[in-house]
Amino acid sequence: MIMKKLLALILCAVMIFASALPAFASEFNDLAFIAVSGMNTFPLYDSDNNKVYPFSTSKILDMAKDILPAVMNYLVTKDSERLCDKVLPVLTDAFDIIACTEDGNSKYDLHTDIFTGYLGDRAAYFNDFDTDEEGIVRAAVEKFGENRTFFFNYDWRLDPLDHADELNKFIKEVKELTGCKRVSLASFSMGGNVTLAYLQKYGSGDVDCIELCSTAFQGTDAVGELFKGDLVLDIEGLIDRLASLTRRDAIQEFLEYLNDGLAANGFDAKISDFANEILTGQKERIYTEFLIPVFGY
């Protein structure tokens, strides 16, 4: 008797669950998916569609050719003033292409890849990339389909509150294009800040759920400390960042091997100490001639 009741309860549960599946499917079918990119996911191009950032291997090598003789000279003379005379103009000239004016607008006419409409045939564009955003896009295409998967990209140098306006327009377009009532967002790194700016300005009425991936919630604190003068150089982090900026270039592999080799032999700490010794003596020049004009705005 007890066994019959137990089986009846199990059958009841199965029937209830089975009857609910169409409702779950209906809710899922009513969603479109949008990946919101992080900082520098796709390159910046000039008005002639030449890629200007991240830098090409040849540009990095040209910079190294100009900088290394000055560094070697410093090892002999310990003249940090002369080192800055040689190195800062090279860095400022190279990075000037991505600089903004004091009002926060791009100094030059640059643009990045913008993915309007659903991915459709362009979904294959993401198959050749192995960053987080592209991996999520491929997974979303499998789950939602190409016609309900979208990608929101932007110029990471500009104001997140302005990007929030564009994201709002994008979400409205996605809903109209798909007939979906709501969207699901997966936002990466700086894209999380753009998404939070969107929520602040427009609320969550159009959004079913949000996944924030590596979003820099403390980013303004960290950057604030940096621009107040708390500048310290970690050579391992610097080389790792340079490697990631090359994006699958042959030089990326070289830089990664270089980083491993320096760490294995304890040279990374010595080089960091050497670099920070220069920073301590020339911090004001580094800020006024390079960091503020290039990155400060």
Side-chain angles (χ1 to χ4, degrees), residues 220-289:
T220 51
D221 289 342
V223 172
E225 291 300 315
L226 171 64
F227 283 105
K228 284 194 297 183
D230 188 15
L231 177 65
V232 179
L233 182 64
D234 173 68
I235 194 65
E236 182 181 4
L238 176 61
I239 295 177
D240 183 63
R241 184 59 182 156
L242 289 173
S244 68
L245 286 177
T246 62
R247 290 199 174 271
R248 298 165 297 277
D249 202 315
I251 200 169
Q252 178 179 4
E253 189 172 340
F254 166 76
L255 289 171
E256 289 170 349
Y257 279 124
L258 175 63
N259 231 359
D260 292 340
L262 291 174
N265 293 283
F267 290 135
D268 54 340
K270 294 177 181 178
I271 296 174
S272 294
D273 290 342
F274 163 75
N276 285 307
E277 179 183 319
I278 299 171
L279 289 177
T280 300
Q282 298 295 328
K283 186 174 290 188
E284 184 175 349
R285 284 194 65 183
I286 293 169
Y287 268 85
T288 56
E289 296 179 31

Side-chain angles (χ1 to χ4, degrees), residues 115-174:
F115 298 85
T116 57
Y118 59 79
L119 289 182
D121 294 337
R122 292 180 301 163
Y125 181 83
F126 291 85
N127 292 336
D128 296 330
F129 295 87
D130 56 6
T131 59
D132 294 339
E133 291 94 325
E134 285 81 10
I136 287 292
V137 166
R138 291 197 294 270
V141 166
E142 291 181 12
K143 192 171 184 69
F144 290 85
E146 291 181 353
N147 292 347
R148 285 192 290 128
T149 300
F150 300 81
F151 192 86
F152 181 75
N153 194 36
Y154 51 89
D155 186 336
W156 53 268
R157 302 168 304 142
L158 308 181
D159 191 343
L161 290 168
D162 290 339
H163 297 322
D165 297 334
E166 294 304 314
L167 178 57
N168 180 58
K169 292 178 187 176
F170 192 75
I171 289 173
K172 300 295 186 189
E173 290 169 2
V174 166

Side-chain angles (χ1 to χ4, degrees), residues 33 38 49-50 53 61 66 82 111 120 138 156 185 224 229 232 268-270:
F33 178 87
N49 279 331
N50 298 311
Y53 192 82
L61 292 176
D66 290 333
R82 184 177 179 186
H111 64 276
R138 291 197 294 270
W156 53 268
L185 300 174
V232 179
D268 54 340
K270 294 177 181 178

Side-chain angles (χ1 to χ4, degrees), residues 39 53 95 98-100 156 226-227 290-297:
M39 174 179 171
Y53 192 82
F95 281 91
I98 66 167
C100 290
W156 53 268
L226 171 64
F227 283 105
F290 175 58
L291 280 178
I292 298 299
V294 173
F295 297 105
Y297 306 129

